[in-house]
Amino acid sequence: MAEDDARRREQDAEDAELMFQGVAHQAELVRTGKTTSRALVEAALRRIGRTDPVLGAFRVVLAEQALAEADARDATAPTGPLHGVPVAVKDELDVAGQVTTFGGSANRTPVAADSEAVRRLRAAGAVVIGKTTMPEFGQWPFTESAAHGHTRNPWDTTRTPGGSSGGSAAAVAAGLIGAALGGDGGGSIRIPAACCGLFGLKPQRGRVSTAPHAHLWYALGTVGPLTRTVGDAALLYDVLAGTTPTDRWSARPATTSWVRALETPPGRLRIGYSVKPAVPGVRPHPEHVGAVLESVRALRELGHDVREVDPRYPDATAPFAAQFCGGVRAEADAVERPDLLERRTRRTLALARLVPESAVERGIRAGERLAERADRMFTTMDLLLTPVVAERPRPVGALDGAGLLTALARSRPMVAYTALWNVTGHPAASVPAGLGEDGLPLAVQLVGRRDDEVTLLRVAAQLEEVRPWGGRRPPPPAPGPVAHRRAVYQG
C-alpha cells in the first residue's frame, strides 16, 4: 500500500511538471521525441480526474476521442506548432460531435463541424481534450450556472475564478491543461486571467474568426486563449489569427509572426497609467491600485516613460448594453429548448426583445465613434496601464438567488476597466502582478492602439522577464465541496 501511495505521488508530480510547462514546451518535447502526445493526454486526463471534481472547470471531457487523436498524432510527423499538445475549448465554440451548450441546457444536439478557431487548432496539431464551463451565454463575470454548477478558483476554492471564461482559466491555472480557448465580450478573457494568475490577451476585433457565426455579441466579442506565459499566447495567436468570408469583422493582418515579434524589444515607450474606472461609482481595491503602482516602477526601470494620465473615458454604457442585449437575444433564439433557459436569462431576454435590431446597429456605430475618441488617447501615449478588475474575487455563489438587477450590480466592479475596450475594439491584456494578501493573484491591464497587439505582447514579455510568473502554482485543492454536476466523461 505504501509503495502504491508513493508511486501515485510520483506520478502526480510528473504529471504536474508536464502540464504546468505550457504548450510551447510541450510541443517541443513531442517534436524532439522526449515525450509523446499520448503521454501528454494521459497526464492531462489524470490531472483532470484528480482535481476537476473540486474545481468544476470542465463541462465534458473527451477522454476516448483525445487518446485516439493523440495516437494519430504520434503515428505521423509533426504537422504544426502544436503537434500532439492537448488543449481545451470554452463551451461557446463548436467542437464536432459535441453539444455547444453556451453554459446552459437548452441545446441538445451535437454539432457537425468544428468552429473555425477549433479547426485551426487541430490543423496546427493540437488535440482537443474537452470543453470548459461558462455562465449561460457568457453574460456574467462569474462562472456559475444552473446547468453546470459553480466553477472554483484554484488559488482558493471558496472564490470565483471570474468569467465568463472561468472554466478555461481554472483549468490552465490548476495545471490540468497547458492552454485553453476563451471568449471576451466584456472582459471574459481578461477577468478570469486576472483572478487566476494567467496571461490573457483580448485581441483586436476581427483578429480571430468567430465562424460559423458572423459575430460574437456583434462588435463586442473576440476569441482567444488563456495561457501561463506571453510566449504561449503569441504561439496560439499565430495559429488562430485570420478570418473567413462569413466573419463580419476582420483585423488588419499582422506583418510578422507574433512569436518572432517577441524577439525584438519594444524600445522606449510612452505609457500612461490611471486607476480611474471607466464605469462611474466604482472604487478600486487598494491592492489593485498598488499593483498598478508597482508595475509603474517596473516599467520605469525597464526604461519606459511612464506618467499618470486622466483618460477621460467616453461613456460606453449605451452601445455596450445594446449589443449585449442583441447578442444574448441572437444566441437564445438559436437554442433548441428555450423553455430550459435559466430564469435570469429569460429576464435578460425579455429586456433584450425590447431592443430592436436597428438599435443594436446604432450601438455598433456609436462604438466606432467612441473608438475614434479613444484613439486620441494613443496620440500622446503608446499604451495605457490600469487595473483589470476593481474588486478581489468574490466568494463562489455570486449569482445564487440573484435576479437580473442584482447580477448586473455585482458584475459592475468586475467589468469597470474592461468592457469599454470591447466597445471600441482595442486590444487589451491582463498581465499577472504577484499575489495579494489573501493569496489570490493580482493583475494589471495593458491597452494598446488598434491592430497593435504586438506592442502589448512585447511589454508584457518584459514584465514577465523581470517578475516571472509562469512557475507560480496554486496549492493542490483540498478535498471539499464539488460542483453540483461533475464533468461528463466520454470514454
Side-chain angles (χ1 to χ4, degrees):
M1 183 70 70
E3 289 182 1
D4 290 344
D5 289 344
R7 177 54 192 153
R8 276 195 294 271
R9 288 194 297 270
E10 183 180 344
Q11 185 70 70
D12 287 350
E14 291 173 0
D15 292 345
E17 198 58 35
L18 273 176
M19 288 300 106
F20 277 112
Q21 291 299 318
V23 293
H25 184 74
Q26 290 169 0
E28 179 64 17
L29 291 175
V30 173
R31 192 160 44 248
T32 57
K34 294 178 180 177
T35 193
T36 63
S37 179
R38 186 178 183 92
L40 287 176
V41 170
E42 288 178 338
L45 290 173
R46 285 191 292 267
R47 295 279 296 163
I48 294 168
R50 284 190 293 268
T51 304
D52 196 56
V54 175
L55 295 182
F58 280 86
R59 199 271 300 173
V60 62
V61 180
L62 309 177
E64 184 175 333
Q65 178 180 320
L67 288 168
E69 288 183 17
D71 289 340
R73 296 288 187 266
D74 288 334
T76 63
T79 56
L82 296 174
H83 187 87
V85 174
V87 297
V89 175
K90 185 181 180 183
D91 209 6
E92 65 186 354
L93 298 170
D94 290 349
V95 171
Q98 300 301 314
V99 179
T100 303
T101 73
F102 294 99
S105 56
N107 273 342
R108 298 299 177 87
T109 303
V111 299
D114 290 333
S115 66
E116 177 64 11
V118 174
R119 186 198 69 77
R120 287 174 180 258
L121 288 177
R122 292 197 205 270
V127 175
V128 177
I129 202 168
K131 303 196 77 178
T132 58
T133 50
M134 59 183 289
E136 193 162 57
F137 298 135
Q139 296 170 82
W140 312 110
F142 315 106
T143 302
E144 303 173 8
S145 71
H148 308 299
H150 300 141
T151 300
R152 298 172 181 273
N153 193 315
W155 290 91
D156 179 349
T157 54
T158 70
R159 301 280 174 164
T160 181
S164 63
S165 305
S168 290
V172 176
L176 310 187
I177 202 76
L181 288 193
D184 193 315
S188 291
I189 288 173
R190 289 160 290 160
I191 293 166
C195 292
C196 294
L198 302 176
F199 180 73
L201 167 66
K202 179 196 82 70
Q204 169 67 36
R205 177 188 304 140
R207 178 68 62 201
V208 178
S209 176
T210 58
H213 307 291
H215 58 79
L216 179 63
W217 280 15
Y218 292 85
L220 298 179
T222 60
V223 175
L226 291 110
T227 62
R228 299 189 66 78
T229 66
V230 178
D232 275 359
L235 173 61
L236 280 156
Y237 275 115
D238 275 347
V239 167
L240 293 166
T243 52
T244 73
T246 65
D247 284 284
R248 180 166 177 177
W249 284 277
S250 60
R252 188 174 65 214
T255 58
T256 184
S257 155
W258 289 7
V259 171
R260 286 198 297 272
L262 289 180
E263 298 170 1
T264 304
R268 188 170 190 264
L269 299 177
R270 301 166 301 168
I271 301 176
Y273 76 92
S274 175
V275 298
K276 172 184 174 183
V279 174
V282 172
R283 180 175 297 179
H285 191 282
E287 285 194 282
H288 296 182
V289 174
V292 168
L293 297 179
E294 191 281 328
S295 298
V296 167
R297 180 196 59 76
L299 290 165
R300 284 174 175 162
E301 289 180 356
L302 286 164
H304 299 296
D305 177 11
V306 188
R307 304 181 184 185
E308 187 171 12
V309 298
D310 179 359
R312 298 184 181 179
Y313 295 121
D315 184 358
T317 304
F320 181 87
Q323 293 176 80
F324 172 88
C325 288
V328 171
R329 184 178 64 229
E331 291 178 347
D333 284 349
V335 300
E336 299 168 80
R337 292 286 305 276
D339 58 302
L340 296 179
L341 293 172
E342 292 179 8
R343 179 183 300 177
R344 188 170 40 244
T345 298
R346 293 199 297 271
R347 290 175 179 170
T348 304
L349 192 56
L351 176 64
R353 297 208 187 284
L354 301 176
V355 181
E357 193 70 16
S358 59
V360 177
E361 293 298 325
R362 286 196 300 273
I364 294 169
R365 293 193 295 273
E368 283 303 307
R369 292 192 294 272
L370 293 186
E372 293 170 1
R373 286 181 58 187
D375 285 341
R376 296 172 201 157
M377 296 185 199
F378 297 102
T379 60
T380 57
M381 58 182 161
D382 300 300
L383 295 176
L384 175 65
L385 171 71
T386 75
V388 183
V389 294
E391 64 181 14
R392 304 302 288 142
R394 279 178 175 262
V396 165
L399 299 180
D400 287 357
L404 176 58
L405 294 180
T406 299
L408 287 170
R410 291 176 181 172
S411 299
R412 288 180 77 247
M414 300 293 278
V415 303
Y417 293 95
T418 57
L420 168 64
W421 307 112
N422 294 84
V423 174
T424 67
H426 289 72
S430 177
V431 182
L435 297 177
E437 292 182 3
D438 55 9
L440 289 159
L442 296 167
V444 294
Q445 179 175 235
L446 288 172
V447 185
R449 294 186 179 95
R450 285 195 273 184
D451 289 306
D452 190 19
E453 294 98 329
V454 164
T455 298
L456 286 177
L457 288 169
R458 285 171 169 162
V459 173
Q462 286 187 313
L463 288 171
E464 183 179 31
E465 185 173 359
V466 299
R467 55 183 195 199
W469 63 73
R472 191 181 294 129
R473 303 178 184 182
V482 299
H484 68 255
R485 184 164 299 177
R486 295 182 184 225
V488 174
Y489 270 74
Q490 296 191 353

